[in-house]
Amino acid sequence: MGATHVMSTDFNASVLKLLEANKQINPELSDRLQITELDWEAVAECCAASKDADVIIGADITYDPTIVPVLVNALKAMVALPEQVVYITATIRNPETFDLFLQLVDDTGVLGRSVMDLGQTRMAALCHPNPAADIRLVLITQK
């Protein structure tokens, strides 16, 4: 982890406890890793959390159609500088939900996006791929 500061967030208390446990078993990261609860509906908190971020990473956060609009609204507020970039990995469980996410990003009018299919060839270079998983990498920036 070459970053000088990493903030790991979630809204679920159980996930936050797991993040803290991981931090404890990796003491070399403790001074650089901050675990924080973050509610995407609290846009001001999202902006404060991301104001100094160069990179925002989200993993498997586009699966629920009821939270996708809230997520996109938070991303719109969080990507305040042209040099900020968001990377989101998405396992496609429901193509309609993923399409909704992409459409809402497009509808912001201020966010641009690019999508890469992380098929078996690309995934093999990153990890041990699951042949049944349909995974995309979404890059989001200001337009």
Side-chain angles (χ1 to χ4, degrees):
M1 193 167 77
T4 57
H5 179 254
V6 174
M7 180 184 296
S8 187
T9 69
D10 206 287
F11 187 66
N12 182 295
S14 297
V15 173
L16 290 167
K17 285 180 185 176
L18 287 173
L19 292 171
E20 276 295 341
N22 283 330
K23 179 179 175 178
Q24 297 306 316
I25 61 173
N26 292 285
E28 69 280 5
L29 304 178
S30 64
D31 61 333
R32 296 182 286 162
L33 180 58
Q34 176 185 352
I35 309 297
T36 305
E37 179 181 2
L38 187 63
D39 180 355
W40 295 333
E41 291 182 334
V43 174
E45 290 178 23
C46 293
C47 289
S50 67
K51 69 179 175 64
D52 296 323
D54 296 321
V55 178
I56 299 167
I57 299 171
D60 203 22
I61 57 176
T62 62
Y63 60 89
D64 182 345
T66 64
I67 63 168
V68 165
V70 176
L71 168 62
V72 171
N73 190 50
L75 290 172
K76 181 180 174 184
M78 292 168 74
V79 182
L81 302 171
E83 60 271 11
Q84 288 178 310
V85 63
V86 178
Y87 296 99
I88 295 176
T89 57
T91 300
I92 311 302
R93 295 176 180 84
N94 181 331
E96 291 80 20
T97 301
F98 186 68
D99 290 343
L100 171 65
F101 170 69
L102 296 178
Q103 185 61 54
L104 290 174
V105 168
D106 292 343
D107 289 350
T108 66
V110 297
L111 297 177
R113 53 119 174 138
S114 177
V115 181
M116 177 189 294
D117 182 350
L118 295 180
Q120 293 303 311
T121 311
R122 290 189 174 110
M123 285 299 291
L126 301 172
C127 62
H128 300 287
N130 175 350
D134 184 7
I135 301 173
R136 302 286 189 282
L137 175 64
V138 182
L139 167 69
I140 298 173
T141 60
Q142 281 189 351
K143 278 189 172 179

